[in-house]
Amino acid sequence: MENKLLKKVQKAIEENEYNMVRISGVNCSRADLETLELLLEYKINNGSFGNFMILGEVKQVLENNNIL
């Protein structure tokens, strides 16, 4: 599940440099997308989110995808 969302986020980053993007029903800024990318790569490599504090739109996207 994480890999699929990560690819979707990376594609959104490539295609929309400055625009808001809707991912999993949540409007995300470029900063949100980059944060999602970082967190998903961390979880894929380490098996958990560690001690990261996940808030706002990033948290909502992860919850909508049953990752949190």
Side-chain angles (χ1 to χ4, degrees):
M1 183 59 106
E2 291 92 5
N3 288 324
K4 184 177 177 182
L5 181 59
L6 178 60
K7 288 179 184 177
K8 189 174 182 181
V9 167
Q10 289 172 334
K11 183 177 179 185
I13 289 172
E14 289 174 13
E15 293 177 354
N16 300 292
E17 189 168 349
Y18 299 108
N19 299 331
M20 296 289 283
V21 177
R22 193 163 188 85
I23 300 236
S24 302
V26 180
N27 285 330
C28 297
S29 67
R30 174 67 184 247
D32 293 332
L33 294 174
E34 290 175 353
T35 302
L36 275 167
E37 182 180 34
L38 171 102
L39 288 171
L40 289 168
E41 287 175 348
Y42 187 89
K43 183 165 191 224
I44 290 166
N45 292 329
N46 298 300
S48 73
F49 289 114
N51 292 326
F52 286 106
M53 184 183 297
I54 304 170
L55 302 170
E57 285 77 13
V58 173
K59 181 178 181 180
Q60 190 63 45
V61 170
L62 295 174
E63 286 176 347
N64 289 353
N65 285 283
N66 298 317
I67 297 174
L68 260 185

